[in-house]
């Protein structure tokens, strides 16, 4: 039986491609077009460009969701009052919760976000991981909420651990901010993409983190359902 996975709110195709390489029927879904060709010579799987709610209830074995964090992240806490007053934060929190609740009860579900409002509004994450745990040499506290209902994913464990050489900036700040944080990889390319795209590029899942999800969660679900 071919296992099916959805990387919800993913346009980088990184998680999707890592699962496709294991032989899964792997999909990403995003309002934006698939950008996997920009950093992967042979991306795998398929991309659905459109509203993720059109497909999130399908019969997936695994849903890994990356809901927008702009109105939820601790890094933007100084804007929370304003965002609560105009409803943006509540809307972002509702979107996050739908990623958690909507997939079929037979799916394994993980929702990813930086530390922020959901820890207060929902609950503590099950796990906080770092890109350097998996071989990407950056620090970026990344929270994972694992749905506990019928099928619960195992916690990720470190693989190919390296020493972080920089911190990943979120948002649309300048290239100089990245340099100050020691982030040197990708900056020339990022800069060539222009300021308007920086916040998007900074939200991309790191490639080795994507690989670790496929290695560890992929293998686990294959053992349970294969
Ligand atoms: C934080 S970014 C996640 C990026 C992801 N980690 C990656 O590597 O591509 C959130 C994404 O959610 C997408 N998005 C927002 N609302 C959506 C919706 N209703 N349906 C599908 N995608 C949506 C945005 O376009 C954005 O790319």
């Amino acid at each position: 039986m071919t296992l099916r996975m959805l990387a919800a709110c993913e346009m980088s195709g990184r998680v999707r491609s890592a699962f496709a390489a294991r032989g899964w029927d792997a999909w990403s879904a995003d309002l934006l077009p698939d950008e996997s060709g920009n950093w992967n010579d042979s991306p795998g799987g398929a991309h659905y460009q459109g509203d993720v709610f059109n497909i999130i209830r399908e019969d997936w074995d695994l849903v890994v969701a990356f809901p927008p964090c702009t109105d939820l992240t601790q890094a933007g806490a100084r804007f929370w009052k304003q965002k609560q007053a105009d409803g943006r934060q509540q809307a972002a929190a509702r979107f996050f919760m739908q990623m958690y609740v909507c997939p079929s009860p037979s799916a394994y579900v993980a929702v990813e976000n930086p530390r922020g409002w959901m820890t207060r509004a929902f609950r503590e994450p099950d796990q906080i991981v770092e890109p350097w745990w998996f071989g990407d040499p950056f620090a970026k506290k990344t929270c994972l909420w694992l749905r506990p209902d019928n099928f619960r994913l195992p916690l990720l464990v470190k693989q190919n651990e390296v020493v972080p050489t920089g911190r990943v900036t979120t948002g649309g700040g300048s290239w100089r901010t990245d340099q100050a944080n020691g982030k040197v990889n990708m900056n020339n390319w990022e800069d060539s993409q222009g300021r308007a795209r920086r916040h998007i590029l900074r939200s991309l899942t790191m490639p080795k983190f994507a690989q670790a999800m496929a290695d560890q969660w992929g293998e686990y679900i294959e053992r349970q359902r294969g």
Side-chain angles (χ1 to χ4, degrees):
M1 184 190 72
T2 306
L3 294 166
R4 302 188 73 222
M5 75 83 57
L6 173 67
C9 299
E10 174 176 274
M11 55 75 167
S12 68
R14 283 179 172 161
V15 176
R16 180 198 84 209
S17 295
F19 276 89
R22 295 186 69 89
W24 286 50
D25 179 19
W27 286 75
S28 51
D30 203 293
L31 297 172
L32 299 174
D34 183 17
E35 294 225 14
S36 54
N38 282 337
W39 36 75
N40 189 332
D41 289 338
S42 50
H47 183 69
Y48 174 80
Q49 184 180 354
D51 190 343
V52 67
F53 292 107
N54 293 335
I55 63 169
I56 200 169
R57 293 179 182 81
E58 284 183 16
D59 194 14
W60 305 106
D61 292 288
L62 169 67
V63 175
V64 185
F66 303 93
C69 62
T70 316
D71 299 327
L72 301 173
T73 176
Q74 191 73 39
R78 64 189 184 284
F79 303 115
W80 282 0
K81 262 215 169 82
Q82 197 182 323
K83 290 181 173 186
Q84 282 161 4
D86 65 22
R88 272 179 293 171
Q89 191 166 67
Q90 293 89 324
R94 263 197 308 278
F95 189 102
F96 175 109
M97 289 310 302
Q98 284 174 317
M99 297 286 104
Y100 190 83
V101 167
C102 286
S104 127
S106 61
Y108 289 86
V109 178
V111 183
E112 184 261 16
N113 233 227
R115 213 164 169 69
W117 180 246
M118 294 317 292
T119 297
R120 298 195 213 174
F122 177 33
R123 62 173 173 84
E124 284 287 335
D126 295 285
Q127 183 170 32
I128 301 178
V129 300
E130 293 268 5
W132 56 265
W133 283 24
F134 310 111
D136 295 305
F138 302 109
K140 181 188 188 184
K141 291 207 182 311
T142 305
C143 301
L144 295 171
W145 285 263
L146 308 174
R147 198 171 71 177
D149 304 348
N150 296 333
F151 302 101
R152 187 190 187 284
L153 287 165
L155 299 181
L156 293 174
V157 296
K158 290 177 185 166
Q159 67 178 45
N160 308 320
E161 188 181 347
V162 292
V163 175
T165 54
R167 192 163 67 80
V168 176
T169 311
T170 52
S174 71
W175 185 30
R176 207 170 293 161
T177 319
D178 276 356
Q179 284 181 315
N181 286 327
K183 185 168 184 236
V184 285
N185 284 8
M186 274 179 69
N187 271 335
N188 288 335
W189 182 73
E190 266 183 30
D191 224 37
S192 77
Q193 298 291 295
R195 197 181 184 97
R197 282 199 7 115
R198 271 194 211 128
H199 70 285
I200 296 174
L201 297 175
R202 285 174 178 157
S203 77
L204 301 184
T205 306
M206 298 257 156
K208 291 177 179 162
F209 176 31
Q211 188 62 50
M213 289 188 230
D215 290 348
Q216 297 184 31
W217 289 343
E219 201 210 330
Y220 178 79
I221 299 172
E222 287 158 20
R223 268 196 279 117
Q224 302 299 315
R225 298 197 171 175

